[in-house]
């Protein structure tokens, strides 16, 4: 095989000659190529953060989760958020109250004698009494906040107000600003506040439109509470996390960890809340201490319910 002085075979030399002829016949092409090598400054140093570098799995997941909600996800947000229904917060507070009363029930003195003096909580009758005690604690707290509904009976059925949207209204797509119900308005205002409201649903001009359904004092108070704002962020974060595929924790638990750290970084978190927020922000006066399980002051209907608890079924 023929070799040139530069060690290239004849085929390679023919290719080089062809390119040289093109440059000879096309002065503009020659100038463009020359300009590529006319810079005095050296090229920028290599950076691992360059946009040309492939994203890591963590970066891809972060970008995926940070995108605003799309139309389908906003639909899920709207219909999946049950926070304004009383049953939602009642169930959250019930769990915390049960833990508090259970801890008192099991407390012992230095000689390992039980110190609990409240209603007997053993067995099936004890579970029913515990339900009444939990209701008592939440009732008094909510009465103090002005949000208790006297129609809720025993066992508790937290229906009606706060508020519930008729299905025909829910199914009609996102309503005009002046026809939003309380949950819808809270979702929109949250997404507007975080610059995530889709323009397809209209501009962020809620301040210029008179609402058809006026917020009363209690409704305005409820949607501003830490537990309600927590529910908004939790639902949104859980929806976004679903984009990233399976996680080590369930979506809501993983979202709760993320939001808890976010609130701590902003200085909004109170350690006294436990695993989820309560009714008062850090800058507000603290909530009253819950009633001692040993000295609960029951209402007449709660006393009747306690007295009507059937005794344990005798063993055969």
């Amino acid at each position: 095989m023929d070799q040139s002085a530069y060690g290239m075979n004849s085929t390679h030399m023919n290719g080089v000659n062809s390119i040289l002829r093109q440059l000879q016949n096309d002065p503009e092409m020659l100038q463009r190529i020359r300009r590529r090598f006319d810079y005095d400054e050296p090229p920028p140093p290599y950076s691992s953060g360059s946009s040309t570098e492939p994203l890591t799995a963590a970066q891809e997941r972060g970008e995926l989760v940070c995108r605003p909600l799309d139309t389908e996800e906003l639909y899920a947000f709207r219909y999946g958020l049950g926070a304004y229904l009383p049953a939602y917060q009642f169930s959250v507070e019930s769990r915390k109250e049960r833990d508090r009363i259970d801890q008192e029930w099991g407390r012992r003195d230095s000689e390992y004698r039980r110190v609990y003096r409240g209603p007997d909580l053993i067995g099936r009758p004890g579970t029913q009494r515990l339900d009444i005690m939990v209701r008592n604690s939440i009732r008094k707290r909510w009465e103090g906040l002005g949000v208790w509904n006297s129609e809720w009976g025993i066992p508790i059925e937290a229906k009606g107000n706060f508020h519930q949207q008729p299905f025909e209204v829910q199914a009609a797509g996102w309503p005009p600003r002046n026809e939003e119900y309380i949950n819808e308005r809270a979702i929109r205002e949250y997404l507007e506040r975080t610059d995530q409201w889709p323009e397809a649903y209209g501009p962020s001009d809620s301040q210029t439109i008179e609402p058809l359904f006026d917020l009363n004092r209690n409704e305005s108070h409820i949607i501003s509470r830490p537990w309600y704002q927590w529910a908004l962020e939790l639902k949104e974060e859980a929806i976004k996390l679903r984009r990233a595929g399976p996680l080590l924790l369930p979506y809501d638990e993983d979202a709760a960890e993320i939001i808890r750290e976010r609130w701590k970084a902003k200085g909004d978190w109170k350690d006294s809340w436990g695993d989820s927020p309560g009714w008062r922000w850090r800058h507000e006066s603290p909530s009253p201490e819950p009633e001692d399980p040993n000295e609960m002051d029951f209402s007449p209907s709660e006393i009747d319910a306690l007295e009507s608890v059937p005794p344990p079924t005798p063993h055969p």
Side-chain angles (χ1 to χ4, degrees), residues 62-82:
E63 289 192 0
L64 193 64
V65 171
C66 286
R67 287 203 321 258
L69 300 177
D70 60 28
T71 301
E72 184 176 338
E73 291 169 331
L74 184 59
Y75 183 92
F77 193 3
R78 180 185 176 194
Y79 297 135
L81 181 69

Side-chain angles (χ1 to χ4, degrees), residues 61-301:
R61 180 175 178 271
E63 289 192 0
L64 193 64
V65 171
C66 286
R67 287 203 321 258
L69 300 177
D70 60 28
T71 301
E72 184 176 338
E73 291 169 331
L74 184 59
Y75 183 92
F77 193 3
R78 180 185 176 194
Y79 297 135
L81 181 69
Y84 199 76
L85 301 179
Y88 172 89
Q89 183 60 12
F90 191 92
S91 66
V92 173
E93 295 187 33
S94 293
R95 175 175 50 81
K96 294 184 178 182
E97 280 299 315
R98 288 177 187 279
D99 290 344
R100 184 180 73 88
I101 295 172
D102 279 342
Q103 286 181 3
E104 179 61 24
W105 178 80
R107 194 162 61 88
R108 307 276 179 158
D109 64 14
S110 59
E111 298 182 2
Y112 205 68
R113 292 175 299 196
R114 189 182 297 277
V115 297
Y116 175 75
R117 306 183 308 276
D120 183 8
L121 302 181
I122 296 177
R124 185 262 310 154
T127 300
Q128 292 179 264
R129 296 187 188 102
L130 179 59
D131 289 341
I132 298 168
M133 295 173 72
V134 166
R135 178 192 188 274
N136 173 273
S137 293
I138 297 175
R139 172 180 62 81
K140 290 180 177 177
R141 184 182 307 127
W142 288 18
E143 283 178 344
L145 294 164
V147 298
W148 179 258
N149 187 332
S150 60
E151 295 181 1
W152 294 333
I154 304 175
I156 181 72
E157 291 188 18
K159 297 179 179 179
N161 288 333
F162 310 140
H163 198 78
Q164 190 167 7
Q165 305 168 18
F167 175 77
E168 60 271 17
V169 174
Q170 295 183 16
W174 201 274
R177 299 290 194 274
N178 63 339
E179 296 180 9
E180 289 174 321
Y181 279 80
I182 183 65
N183 233 24
E184 293 165 326
R185 190 180 313 172
I187 291 174
R188 174 177 55 77
E189 290 176 350
Y190 166 71
L191 293 176
E192 287 176 345
R193 191 166 65 248
T194 55
D195 295 324
Q196 298 186 85
W197 180 249
E199 292 184 3
Y201 287 100
S204 301
D205 57 357
S206 57
Q207 300 301 317
T208 64
I209 302 176
E210 282 295 320
L212 180 62
F213 302 98
D214 292 331
L215 290 179
N216 62 36
R217 183 186 67 83
N218 287 337
E219 289 171 335
S220 298
H221 179 69
I222 287 167
I223 65 173
S224 70
R225 296 303 82 206
W227 64 262
Y228 188 90
Q229 293 299 313
W230 168 269
L232 282 174
E233 293 193 36
L234 182 70
K235 189 64 182 179
E236 181 210 20
E237 193 72 27
I239 290 172
K240 288 183 173 182
L241 288 175
R242 286 185 176 89
R243 302 167 179 169
L247 303 172
L248 294 178
L249 296 172
Y251 296 113
D252 283 358
E253 291 184 32
D254 202 69
E257 290 292 331
I258 293 171
I259 297 167
R260 190 176 297 111
E261 292 305 313
R262 184 186 303 161
W263 283 30
K264 287 180 179 179
K266 294 190 300 181
D268 291 337
W269 186 260
K270 290 169 61 176
D271 290 336
S272 60
W273 281 338
D275 58 2
S276 62
W279 286 85
R280 305 284 178 92
W281 293 101
R282 286 178 64 91
H283 65 275
E284 298 174 326
S285 58
S287 300
E289 289 295 322
E291 196 171 28
D292 186 342
N294 297 292
E295 300 176 358
M296 283 188 165
D297 182 20
F298 295 101
S299 69
S301 61

